[in-house]
Amino acid sequence: MGDWTPRDRRFSELGLRLMSAAVLIPVAVAMVWAGGWWLAIGCAVFAAAMALEWSQISAFPHGRAMAVASALFCLSLPVGLLWLSVLVIVAGMVFCAATAVGGLRVRWTAAFGLFYVTAMAAGLYLLRDGPWDGRAAALFFMSFVWASDAAAYFTGRGLGGPRLLPSESPNKTWSGALGAVTACGLCGLAAADIEMASFPVWIAAGVAISMVAQMGDLFESGLKRRFKVKDAGTLLPGHGGVLDRVDGLGAVCIFGSLALYAFPGLSGALGF
């Protein structure tokens, strides 16, 4: 057998990424399309998986309890009782902080981990369940994130160049970042045409979605470097863990749902 070259590794990694995407994307689309309890259950499963990964990378000893608290929060959302959802997550954070072994920083990290993974999963549910056309909003935002990821990957691999933030994520380049933003701006043109909405608003939305997705990715990469781990987990071939795969999408769902709730006119401008 010949030597295993970096080019071979590149194409092997791409194949694994494509296989993972072929499974995950239809599942995510089906969850969002169905909405309601189906989406809540799907979000609960993903939240629990991310909580377990967080407990592994942060050495939190009660990962299963964290996973249960995160899943229960997602399952409480369709009930419509905000106080119940808040009670679940606050109780979970208090438990994580109380049972973490170490000083204040360790306890804060445990509580933050539960909030972080739960917010990403719940953000998708809240985006889909909002007082606008939630199905369209969630599907558009998800597709934009996937377009951003793909454009960043292929542009960065093809053009190379200076690193975007070497201290946090040494594999990301400025060419990849700019390629992702450009691709999402073009996606905004297509979305505006489909929704018969404002072209400038959709282009700006596309650029913003790509930037938020990339910041979410960099944030999670920075967290892993703080804990001195390469991948959040090994569940997804070519991607590492669930956290590695949904960090950008989670950030977009959080900020996207907050923006739409905070600025009601934005959904109308986007055609939702």
Side-chain angles (χ1 to χ4, degrees):
M1 294 178 63
D3 293 334
W4 187 254
T5 66
R7 183 178 179 84
D8 295 326
R9 293 190 186 94
R10 179 184 302 179
F11 285 103
S12 175
E13 180 184 348
L14 176 59
L16 291 172
R17 281 174 172 263
L18 291 175
M19 286 190 292
S20 295
V23 174
L24 286 176
I25 289 178
V27 170
V29 170
M31 285 167 39
V32 169
W33 190 270
W37 279 102
W38 287 108
L39 178 58
I41 292 170
C43 288
V45 171
F46 276 88
M50 290 189 290
L52 288 173
E53 289 179 351
W54 179 271
S55 69
Q56 291 170 1
I57 66 176
S58 65
F60 178 66
H62 303 292
R64 291 183 180 179
M66 180 182 283
V68 169
S70 188
L72 284 177
F73 179 86
C74 293
L75 292 174
S76 71
L77 293 173
V79 178
L81 298 176
L82 181 60
W83 64 268
L84 177 61
S85 301
V86 172
L87 180 63
V88 168
I89 198 64
V90 170
M93 292 175 67
V94 170
F95 171 82
C96 289
T99 56
V101 180
L104 181 61
R105 182 177 179 181
V106 175
R107 296 177 186 278
W108 180 88
T109 299
F112 169 76
L114 176 59
F115 176 80
Y116 173 55
V117 301
T118 306
M120 288 197 292
L124 177 59
Y125 183 89
L126 295 174
L127 182 64
R128 171 64 173 86
D129 193 53
W132 45 77
D133 185 352
R135 179 184 289 170
L139 290 176
F140 270 119
F141 283 27
M142 289 163 63
S143 63
F144 275 45
V145 173
W146 295 330
S148 178
D149 287 347
Y153 181 83
F154 288 108
T155 306
R157 293 280 186 171
L159 299 180
R163 303 299 175 183
L164 179 62
L165 200 61
S167 62
E168 302 297 339
S169 186
N171 292 326
K172 291 179 174 58
T173 61
W174 278 101
S175 63
L178 294 175
V181 169
T182 302
C184 281
L186 294 175
C187 288
L189 287 173
D193 187 55
I194 294 171
E195 291 293 305
M196 294 183 289
S198 169
F199 281 93
V201 171
W202 260 113
I203 293 172
V207 170
I209 288 171
S210 179
M211 293 176 66
V212 170
Q214 293 185 67
M215 286 189 289
D217 192 353
L218 289 169
F219 179 72
E220 196 258 351
S221 295
L223 289 174
K224 289 189 298 182
R225 293 187 78 80
R226 299 296 184 276
F227 291 117
K228 296 180 173 57
V229 297
K230 181 180 182 296
D231 294 318
T234 58
L235 184 61
L236 304 177
H239 291 293
V242 178
L243 268 171
D244 297 315
R245 177 64 278 183
V246 303
D247 46 14
L249 177 59
V252 167
C253 289
I254 292 171
F255 286 99
S257 57
L258 288 175
L260 289 171
Y261 276 108
F263 305 100
L266 182 57
S267 59
L270 294 170
F272 300 148

